[in-house]
Amino acid sequence: MARTEAMKPAFPAFASNRLQLFMQFAAEWRIIRWLAPLVLLHSLIYVFLVPPWQHYDEPGHFLYAAYIVRGGISAPDNLAIAREVADSMYRHAFWPPGVLPDLLSPRPPGLPTDQRHHPPLYYIVMASVIGPLRYLPVETQLYAGRIVSALLMTLTVLAIWRTAQTIIPDEPQMALVLAAMAALIPAFVDLMSAFNSDVLMNFAAAAAFLGMAILLRDGWHPTGLALALLGATVAILTKRTALPIVAPLGLALLWVAYRRPIRWWVYALAASAGAGIVAVSSFTITAEGLQTRPWLAAIERDYLRIPLAPWLMSWNEWERAWPWYQRTLEVAHSHFWVRLAWGHIPVWPPVGDWLFAGLSLAAVIGLFRGTLTSFATLPLWQQRWLWLCLLAVVVAWFALFGRLHPLPPEGRPYIPRGRYLYWAMVPTIWLAALGWQHLWPEWWRPYTPYILLVLLAIFDVAALIALVSFYYFN
């Protein structure tokens, strides 16, 4: 009897916790059941509006998966499917007038952007999608892959929404604003409706940031840890562009392990020690100069595809690189927001470029203002989320500029596009919205994110008009 009496208080508490969880799930499901269909429908408009092969590197991404279907990962070019794709590209006016693919040659027709240097994970997944459709027209197979991308886009937006719910649970409207912002960025939704490995990488990175948010809030939470580690791993195994996500992930794990404030000199000491360990274990100085050690040389050859020693030395050529940094900033920023297809369709030029440049500058000023005023009043874990976002954005841009190196001896380097920043979409839109808020007086701040949302909605409509005009009325 005494044991039963002792247990009595536990039963109501247990029942109350279960009731709270059920009510939370029911509230979230009410949002998901209308948010997910809307995002999916919006993405499907892009899927079917853009003609076949009219996205970044789409022919090469499709052929990689199609070759796997017909012979495995290491299969050579399949002449039949390459000819089908080339013929489809010609029928859908991919090339300028007068350019004809050679469909009679015993060699595969020359198609742009072979993607078989990328890790195979995404292409194995897509091969399982198009494999059952292999005897249908290649356009049908392509659209099937694009529909999978639209589904992943929907999951990406839901991950962003859930991340905001985790960090700012008392502002549910802001969670929807951030999710809608991601869903309405013209260049992002255009790419995320394509047959392209970036789609899986971006979804996995968004899931990883959701995991990091849960870890910062709750500590060693199994769901957060699984999302952070699995998401980052999938992103890195999908595309080397996601490798910089290791930086925010490592910092998040450090903060989870040590949940009290850390002095600045500890970070500086840890960063210096880490850099020293990496340098000693990765490089050696020989008579020929700086050389990578064998283990790193294998990664350099098979995954990174960058000669690391010349890459590091190239950063010293500041005077040569500076004009290209400026050009990269201009091009990448524009392509992040308002460039469609292969980057050749602008949205409302030049208004779009200048407007979003102004918004980005305003967000930077607002973030600086917020740092001086209200950010320090936040709980430690929320402050750390903001610093994590800032680190991710800085690392993403650093990696983008790094794609210029090693600089070619002569001529122009490849100018990277804004899509290489999309793995950091979650922290980017978070800081953009927050900085924009803090640019305004305090009594205006609850309403200012809706201004961003309206602007993005206008440009989303302008993007659809631009696609229709370019492809169907030119």
Side-chain angles (χ1 to χ4, degrees):
M1 186 69 177
R3 181 181 176 186
T4 304
E5 292 295 329
M7 291 176 61
K8 275 186 179 180
F11 286 119
F14 178 72
S16 176
N17 289 337
R18 293 193 64 179
L19 180 60
Q20 289 178 359
L21 289 174
F22 176 78
M23 292 177 64
Q24 180 183 357
F25 174 79
E28 292 179 353
W29 176 247
R30 283 196 295 270
I31 295 175
I32 292 173
R33 69 184 183 186
W34 64 260
L35 178 61
L38 282 179
V39 175
L40 179 60
L41 178 61
H42 180 249
S43 302
L44 289 174
I45 293 173
Y46 278 82
V47 165
F48 294 104
L49 184 61
V50 178
W53 321 114
Q54 293 292 343
H55 285 112
Y56 280 118
D57 306 333
E58 207 166 37
H61 288 294
F62 176 83
L63 278 176
Y64 192 172
Y67 290 154
I68 292 176
V69 170
R70 287 154 180 80
I73 295 176
S74 59
D77 291 353
N78 183 286
L79 184 58
I81 189 62
R83 283 176 173 171
E84 285 187 60
V85 171
D87 176 65
S88 176
M89 293 169 69
Y90 175 72
R91 287 185 286 105
H92 290 90
F94 179 87
W95 287 291
V99 177
L100 302 174
D102 186 355
L103 302 181
L104 300 178
S105 170
R107 299 170 59 86
L111 298 177
T113 66
D114 187 350
Q115 299 296 310
R116 283 173 291 181
H117 52 274
H118 287 307
L121 176 61
Y122 169 78
Y123 306 97
I124 294 173
V125 172
M126 297 312 294
S128 69
V129 173
I130 66 174
L133 310 175
R134 60 184 297 178
Y135 299 113
L136 296 178
V138 290
E139 296 89 352
T140 302
Q141 300 175 50
L142 176 71
Y143 281 118
R146 285 186 178 183
I147 291 172
V148 172
S149 296
L151 291 170
L152 290 175
M153 171 63 174
T154 304
L155 292 176
T156 302
V157 172
L158 291 179
I160 293 172
W161 167 75
R162 194 66 188 86
T163 301
Q165 287 277 82
T166 301
I167 298 296
I168 45 175
D170 55 339
E171 299 184 53
Q173 73 284 356
M174 278 304 302
L176 289 173
V177 167
L178 289 169
M181 284 177 61
L184 292 173
I185 294 174
F188 185 60
V189 66
D190 180 67
L191 179 66
M192 292 293 285
S193 58
F195 197 118
N196 192 302
S197 60
D198 283 8
V199 177
L200 178 59
M201 177 191 69
N202 295 334
F203 161 64
F209 280 108
L210 171 56
M212 295 179 217
I214 295 172
L215 289 174
L216 290 179
R217 185 192 65 181
D218 299 337
W220 293 115
H221 192 285
T223 302
L225 188 62
L227 283 171
L229 295 180
L230 184 60
T233 301
V234 170
I236 292 170
L237 291 180
T238 300
K239 205 163 186 178
R240 65 192 179 109
T241 311
L243 192 59
I245 201 174
V246 170
L249 175 62
L251 187 59
L253 295 177
L254 169 65
W255 281 337
V256 175
Y258 196 85
R259 296 180 64 81
R260 295 188 297 276
I262 302 175
R263 295 186 178 275
W264 68 267
W265 58 266
V266 176
Y267 293 112
L269 184 63
S272 301
I277 293 171
V278 169
V280 170
S281 61
S282 303
F283 299 96
T284 181
I285 300 177
T286 67
E288 291 78 21
L290 188 67
Q291 302 289 329
T292 53
R293 294 188 182 275
W295 70 269
L296 184 57
I299 298 175
E300 175 185 75
R301 180 189 65 249
D302 299 332
Y303 178 74
L304 295 176
R305 297 183 291 111
I306 295 176
L308 287 177
W311 182 82
L312 288 172
M313 300 304 295
S314 180
W315 284 90
N316 291 325
E317 302 180 63
W318 179 259
E319 291 185 357
R320 285 187 60 209
W322 178 247
W324 299 118
Y325 291 154
Q326 294 175 299
R327 179 59 179 159
T328 297
L329 177 63
E330 176 187 346
V331 170
H333 185 273
S334 174
H335 283 240
F336 182 95
W337 297 101
V338 285
R339 284 294 187 278
L340 310 175
W342 287 69
H344 63 287
I345 303 179
V347 181
W348 206 351
V351 175
D353 294 335
W354 284 106
L355 178 61
F356 282 98
L359 289 175
S360 296
L361 180 59
V364 172
I365 296 172
L367 284 173
F368 181 74
R369 181 182 180 186
T371 302
L372 296 178
T373 55
S374 60
F375 291 176
T377 63
L378 297 173
L380 179 62
W381 66 274
Q382 288 182 325
Q383 292 182 39
R384 285 179 166 179
W385 168 254
L386 296 179
W387 284 112
L388 189 78
C389 289
L390 182 61
L391 173 67
V393 171
V394 169
V395 168
W397 277 97
F398 176 80
L400 186 79
F401 290 131
R403 295 181 72 91
L404 294 168
H405 297 282
L407 294 172
E410 296 180 0
R412 158 191 189 126
Y414 168 72
I415 303 298
R417 299 324 194 227
R419 62 193 176 102
Y420 298 120
L421 301 168
Y422 284 157
W423 68 266
M425 176 58 74
V426 176
T428 297
I429 62 171
W430 195 290
L431 294 181
L434 185 65
W436 174 255
Q437 273 190 300
H438 282 272
L439 191 69
W440 297 80
E442 188 171 355
W443 58 87
W444 275 78
R445 290 176 190 171
Y447 311 103
T448 53
Y450 297 101
I451 299 175
L452 283 180
L453 203 57
V454 170
L455 286 173
L456 285 172
I458 292 171
F459 274 87
D460 179 60
V461 174
L464 296 175
I465 294 173
L467 289 171
V468 171
S469 175
F470 186 89
Y471 287 119
Y472 301 100
F473 290 100
N474 263 350

